[in-house]
Amino acid sequence: MLLAQAWAADTAAPPGLSWQDAVQQLQQGSDQLAGARANVAYRQAQSEGVARLGGPIVSLYGAAYRYKASLDLNLDPLNQGLGNAIGLLPPGLAGLLPPLPPLPSDYTLERRNSNQTAILNAVWPIYMGGAADAARGLSKAQGDEAQAELSHIEEEALGQLAQRYFQTQLARRAAALREAVVQGVAEHDAALEKMLKVGVVSQLERLQARAALEDARHQARKARSDAEMAAVALARSVKLAGAPPTPSTPLALRSQPLAPLQEFIDQALAHHPGLAKVAAKRSQAEQAKAAGDALNKPQLFAFGQSNLSHNRDWVAGVGVRVNLWDSLDHEALSRSHAKQIEQVNAADAQARSDIALLVEKQWRSAERAREQFIGLAPQDELGLELLRLRQAGLRQGTSTALDLIDAELNLAKLRTERAQVAYEYVMALTGLLQASGQIHRLGEFLAQADLRVE
């Protein structure tokens, strides 16, 4: 019966979720990461779109048309002119001519026609002062910035996932210890009830045990609620529906020291996404300066045109454009670009200093937690040995049930503190790997750990 109940409880338990599975779930389900990936794809497509900028442009213009044109003519001056002309003739001749009919006072001329035309144009920029290269460089730098932003968002998401994942492990460990204490105190409380009836213990001891049991139950309920809330937060992070997942990768750390601090600093200065983003900003500023300078340089281009519908007429040649004057202050714009580059360089220097400091802080925190965890091992052994002595003393009559309860509470407290230190180590390690651009190696570091909080 007990085995059947145990099997049923095991099958009903939430599915185990390893750290690598949690990372995979995050990669697939994060809306923030999906948005950042879409931005990267957008910038890549934009770069592809301007890849051939500055090449030849060939266009075809075609039109079919029909028209009607009207012209109104005023004939009064012509009538007057004809009359004056006849009056100038000799009298004999003028009398022989029949009278001329008068012209209308106005007349409208109309013309209607239809036609079609087709023109082929070609323009080939030969030299644009570097404007096309600057545009391509700017687009690439924007793509690099989007990629750096994606890496930054991904590392932030993994850092938050690690916090929730191992916080769930810590909370589950604390809840299990508290529940074990409740079970032990409940057994001692029942024993003291029997001992009180036969007069072996006093009413005071019985009440102290009852108070200890109620406090243990309260602490266990609180620890269980904290564990459930942590599991819910983890489920939200990886977007798992149904019962909250049970993390299967334990809190763990290596007994050996981490690699030297300088190695992590070197990795950070080479791979931190924040520095990649600053580098992309610098490239954008440099390309903007190059584009501004290109406006003041001569531009050389070849051109050609052919009329496909009228005797195949064509024209071809080479043109040059020189900007003599416009309303922009190019010197001021050049200074602004130079200052922007100077600003980015200052931001890069500050970021490198801040990142190196963060790496050192996390490295020292991890080492301090590792040493503390190892240093707590004797206290754990001492607490366990004290519990054994109290158990033996209770059997021999040299210890009371309250002494045993205190020993159990003390051991649970020591083990909870040690689990907390292990959690602090994992969080410091996560921060260290995140600061050095290596957070994807967290699973590798945990797999190499030889000290585990099961």
Side-chain angles (χ1 to χ4, degrees):
M1 182 65 179
L2 291 176
L3 289 177
Q5 291 176 349
W7 179 83
D10 183 67
T11 55
L17 181 70
S18 69
W19 167 249
Q20 294 299 338
D21 290 340
V23 171
Q24 185 175 2
Q25 286 290 131
L26 178 71
Q27 296 282 3
Q28 295 175 352
S30 173
D31 295 329
Q32 190 177 20
L33 287 176
R37 292 192 187 104
N39 187 40
V40 171
Y42 156 67
R43 292 300 184 183
Q44 289 176 344
Q46 189 179 58
S47 294
E48 294 172 2
V50 299
R52 292 187 294 273
L53 185 66
I57 301 172
V58 179
S59 59
L60 178 64
Y61 169 78
Y65 57 92
R66 181 177 180 83
Y67 69 90
K68 169 190 172 184
S70 299
L71 177 63
D72 293 329
L73 298 178
N74 185 1
L75 300 182
D76 287 338
L78 183 58
N79 280 326
Q80 296 175 3
L82 289 175
N84 294 337
I86 293 175
L88 294 175
L89 294 175
L93 181 60
L96 295 176
L97 292 177
L100 294 176
L103 296 175
S105 61
D106 58 54
Y107 184 77
T108 301
L109 293 177
E110 289 188 359
R111 181 177 178 83
R112 301 172 184 266
N113 201 355
S114 61
N115 207 342
Q116 59 275 336
T117 183
I119 299 174
L120 182 67
N121 285 306
V123 178
W124 192 329
I126 300 174
Y127 176 72
M128 302 298 290
D133 292 336
R136 284 191 292 267
L138 178 61
S139 180
K140 180 182 181 303
Q142 290 172 339
D144 293 341
E145 182 183 3
Q147 183 62 52
E149 182 66 18
L150 170 61
S151 299
H152 173 73
I153 292 175
E154 188 173 18
E155 294 204 347
E156 290 288 335
L158 287 175
Q160 183 184 66
L161 176 64
Q163 180 186 13
R164 293 183 176 181
Y165 185 94
F166 292 105
Q167 194 171 45
T168 303
Q169 283 289 45
L170 174 63
R172 292 179 66 250
R173 172 66 170 169
L177 290 170
R178 289 293 179 182
E179 289 170 357
V181 167
V182 169
Q183 183 178 357
V185 174
E187 292 175 358
H188 304 323
D189 179 71
L192 284 173
E193 178 70 24
K194 295 178 182 178
M195 295 170 70
L196 177 64
K197 292 180 180 179
V198 298
V200 177
V201 297
S202 66
Q203 181 66 25
L204 177 61
E205 290 180 285
R206 177 70 187 84
L207 292 175
Q208 289 175 328
R210 173 64 66 182
L213 176 59
E214 291 304 320
D215 182 68
R217 285 173 175 169
H218 169 72
Q219 297 297 333
R221 286 193 296 269
K222 182 177 181 300
R224 192 180 307 114
S225 177
D226 291 343
E228 291 172 354
M229 191 64 236
V232 169
L234 174 60
R236 295 286 177 84
S237 293
V238 296
K239 289 194 172 182
L240 286 179
T246 301
S248 59
T249 301
L251 290 165
L253 63 163
R254 294 183 61 185
S255 57
Q256 298 299 318
L258 293 169
L261 172 61
Q262 191 59 45
E263 290 188 17
F264 286 98
I265 292 178
D266 293 341
Q267 287 291 326
L269 298 181
H271 302 294
H272 195 283
L275 296 178
K277 190 173 181 178
V278 172
K281 290 288 189 182
R282 180 192 295 110
S283 180
Q284 291 179 50
E286 292 171 346
Q287 297 303 331
K289 184 177 184 302
D293 294 341
L295 295 177
N296 282 333
K297 295 180 180 179
Q299 298 177 359
L300 181 65
F301 57 93
F303 65 91
Q305 185 181 91
S306 176
N307 192 325
L308 304 179
S309 60
H310 184 71
N311 299 327
R312 309 290 292 185
D313 296 337
W314 60 271
V315 63
V318 177
V320 62
R321 176 185 178 276
V322 179
N323 189 24
L324 300 178
W325 182 88
D326 59 32
S327 58
L328 298 177
D329 189 339
H330 293 277
E331 183 179 352
L333 290 176
S334 181
R335 289 199 309 270
S336 72
H337 294 314
K339 289 300 180 182
Q340 187 179 15
I341 295 173
E342 183 179 336
Q343 178 188 12
V344 173
N345 290 335
D348 180 75
Q350 184 64 50
R352 289 176 179 275
S353 176
D354 292 344
I355 289 171
L357 180 61
L358 178 61
V359 169
E360 182 168 356
K361 177 184 176 182
Q362 298 291 0
W363 185 87
R364 292 184 182 277
S365 296
E367 282 297 285
R368 183 170 60 251
R370 181 186 66 84
E371 294 171 356
Q372 185 179 2
F373 184 87
I374 295 174
L376 287 174
Q379 294 188 32
D380 185 272
E381 295 175 1
L382 177 61
L384 183 59
E385 184 61 26
L386 179 61
L387 177 61
R388 291 170 180 166
L389 289 176
R390 296 306 185 199
Q391 291 171 340
L394 185 63
R395 290 192 297 269
Q396 297 172 4
T398 58
S399 298
T400 66
L402 294 177
D403 293 333
L404 182 56
I405 290 173
D406 290 340
E408 289 179 341
L409 291 173
N410 180 65
L411 182 59
K413 178 183 177 183
L414 290 174
R415 290 185 169 175
T416 301
E417 289 178 354
R418 201 164 187 231
Q420 176 68 36
V421 173
Y423 171 75
E424 292 173 359
Y425 173 86
V426 173
M427 288 298 96
L429 177 62
T430 300
L432 175 62
L433 295 177
Q434 184 175 345
S436 58
Q438 306 179 80
I439 196 170
H440 293 90
R441 297 185 60 198
L442 179 59
E444 174 188 336
F445 276 77
L446 294 174
Q448 295 172 355
D450 56 338
L451 301 175
R452 292 179 172 83
V453 180
E454 300 293 349

